Amino acid sequence: MAVQLDLDDIQGLLARGYSSLRHARFTIFAAREPAQGRALLAWLLPQVTTAGPFRADTALQLAFTPAGLRRLGLPDRVMAGFSAEFAEGMANRSRFLGDLEESDPRSWAWGGPEGPPVDGLTMLYASEPDVLRRRQAELMQRFADAGIRDVTELDDLELADQEPFGFRDGISQPLIEGLPKAARGQRTVPAGEFVLGYRNNRGQLADRPLLPASADPRRLLLPDPTGSGQADLGRNGSYLVLRQLEQDVDGFWRFLGQVTRAPDGADDHGRQIALAAKMVGRWPSGAPLVKAPDRDVPALGGDNDFGYHGDPLGLACPLGAHIRRVNPRDSLDPQPAASLDATGRHRLLRRGRRYGMAGDGRYGTGLYFICLVADLARQFEFVQHTWLDNPTFSGLYDDADPLAGSRRPSGRTFTAPARPVRHRYLDLPQFVRTRAGAYFFLPGVSAMRYLAQLQDTGPAPSAGR
Amino acid sequence: MPHQLGLTIRATVTAEQVPGLGKWLAETARNGVADGPFDFIRMRGLHFAKLCLLEETVDLDGEPIPPSLVLMTEVDAPLRRHLAELVDVAGDGIDQAFGYCAGYPGAGACRRARIGWLRRHLVSASAVYVNTVGRGLEQIRQEAKLREALQDYLDQRDWSGLAPAEVRRDLQAHVAGRADLAWAMKAPAPPSLLFRAREAVHKVAVPLALLALLPALTAILPVWAVLLRMAERRERPLTQRPTLQHIEELAKYEDFVTQNPFAVVGFIKPGRLRRVTIRAVMFAIDYAVRHLYNHADLAGIKTIHFARWVPLDGWRRMTFASNYDGAVEAYNDDFIDKVWWGLNAAFGNAVGYPPTRWLLWGGATHEQPFKYILRTRQVPVPVWYTAYPALSAENIENNAQIRAGLRGDMSPGKVRHWLSLL
């Protein structure tokens, strides 16, 4: 039976990455008073873009941290319905997520214990720079009018096909069942893996905050789809992971230059690219190594129709290559089908944008990594810890992700399987550092309508975290 | 090579000593146990050790169960040597820990009195899973060194263009020529003859006995199944989420190295039917881990180094404890995907477990309630020791295969495969 997604209640980011809106600006904010937050929310609500038919030249999305939801007036017993990882917050999960040393949350621009408080996030997208400027100015004026002074703008965002290291990015995305673009006979992922209140891969509903019907006398919320009679605050919402990942582009290519240098000391550009491709699992064009093992084939640039079963030893695409770790496809289990089922439970809907190409350089260049999931532990955190950062992934010993992995306490090796024996690269530097981040909840429209009309129930939480 | 034991020592903690013990555990956790009062690193054949406090509780009939301290070790045989070393090597730590327990003879008492006391507080396990039976600590350490040596040797030159067989011959010659590695050219010795004979007899005797009992079992099984299904239908599921505080307490001791400790304790459901069922299931698990899953694989799960099932308090409670690779989320997912039936058979008899159907179905496949109840029943392991913190179970098995491939004739295809292990 086809899933009916409530597209007019779901925020648009779940349905599209706004590739036609090339310019974007995000704003992190915190209100001091509950009334300020609710006034802002009431003003923003009609402007929030949904997943329904879309043709506009701008889009706005809105998400909240636990602190923000509390400040709007959600009581503890409702907050307890959100996942434990969301309640703990990204900064408190730093050991698990590999955010250590230079990526320590204490040094984060925001989201860490020393940074400004974070209640929520607005994400503004526009087709033209001047449209973006105008709408963002309007938004900033609203923040000021509402008396919200803790505002951090994340500007200099750019939609680009290539990530800063120079590789085509964003090729592989899960196709969500029930969305118009999924109707092409490809393998789809159940909506419940990304949107709360729908069935997931196991045919089950992820936990979400439910309220007794009496807490919603005006019936603003949708009912719990299981028929419990409770009001469903989570339905049509999603968890949003936002991480500012700074990429050391110079360091990356410097390292590649050092380890591929010819005996006479000359740079070997071809070998640099080839080794970088081994680390990524795709060539700069995006062509996957399992299909183009020896040289880039730009015609395969957007190819996403491949598996690793024909390359069990990683001779074409190394076992530790970035794309083979973050989505091992059919290679985790001796049975390809069982592996696809297993990896299907760890998919991320990515919505990241690169930054810093024309900025002041304070945080260099990199990626605002964004993903949407229904289960932070099983999806984002699992991929980060068990696949990306795990030095023993896939039978390896000391190989964290060659691009983005944490090098502490281990994981400084990259192994490229070869005949007769492997090539091994030791002492990889840290190429990617986490500079900021937080877990957000991207509510459905009815949930936001409910949040906007909450009343003060007790003393407001103190400003901050 | 020796076989491996899963030792459990449990002693009652007097109520007024609990806060002191809690503080001592937290402090010891901060300082680590490889050295210090336990000096675990010097104990022979010790793979893993954990110490945890089981808090005071009441059983399902309201009878109080006093708090207790549990020491679990995974160690190479013989038991006698290990018990002696707990006093001779780890004595300071053991004295401090069990000093909080009722009746411990104390640091002043003689060695024999303390060893005797520990022996009297042994609790026997219903089943102990060993990733690879007979692979001792010494062998694991040696083979890890062997792999590192070969890797370093490979790094020293460019091998491209050489035939795989030539590379292998070179590596063989290198190992044979190094006094510190020459042992690797021989196969590791198997466990003792006595142990192997005992296991062989058990392997055959159990099916024979079941065959003899077959007529009786055919009569009993349908009745048992119906009674069990009726009991399952009467039970009301109860989804209990772990508190954030409990999760944070558990997480404090997790995810530092390749492996993690795991320990859950739960009550067995009341009634004779469940008591009989859990014993029968444990009998089956014992057989399975000894004879079917005794090499690098527990029904498809390759990340568990050791696991044990230990009945407590006269089968009123059951504990499951293990040492596994990776994070608890991945561990639980593996369980749900690969051995849901095995989990259901055992944990389905525990209070709070998601409802099962005919014991084997349902249960763990209710992902969220299953993960919640496991986390809720999980006991923090503040004091934990691993002898090889950087090695996954898969690494250890790979190292053994590298060594095995140094010996004997090999087809060209086999040689290529062997080289890919490096």
Side-chain angles (χ1 to χ4, degrees), chain B residues 48-50 74 259-262 303-308 321-325 331 384-385:
Chain B
F48 293 93
K50 40 172 105 72
E74 279 86 7
Q259 312 108 10
N260 269 319
F262 187 81
T303 53
I304 302 179
H305 294 257
F306 291 94
R308 68 178 73 189
S322 66
N323 300 286
Y324 66 96
D325 296 325
Y331 186 54
W384 179 60
Y385 168 75

Side-chain angles (χ1 to χ4, degrees), chain A residues 80-82 84 88 95-96 202 204 207 313 345-346 377-378 382 385 392 395-397 419-420 422 424, chain B residues 147 151-152 155 159 241 251 254-256 327 329-330 333 336-337 365 367 372 395 398-399 416 419 422:
Chain A
F82 287 99
E88 272 187 81
R95 180 155 49 78
F96 190 79
R202 296 190 202 276
Q204 296 162 12
D207 261 7
L313 301 178
R345 288 189 271 275
H346 310 286
R378 172 158 59 73
F382 180 100
H385 184 273
T392 65
L396 296 163
Y397 287 72
R419 297 279 190 223
R422 88 290 176 281
R424 187 163 81 140
Chain B
R147 174 189 169 271
Q151 294 286 14
D152 291 342
D155 282 344
W159 301 84
R241 274 187 69 161
E254 291 176 339
D255 305 315
F256 287 91
E329 179 74 19
D333 278 338
I336 300 171
D337 288 346
T365 58
E367 178 188 356
Y372 285 159
N395 291 156
N398 191 64
N399 294 348
R416 276 200 301 274
L419 288 174
L422 283 160

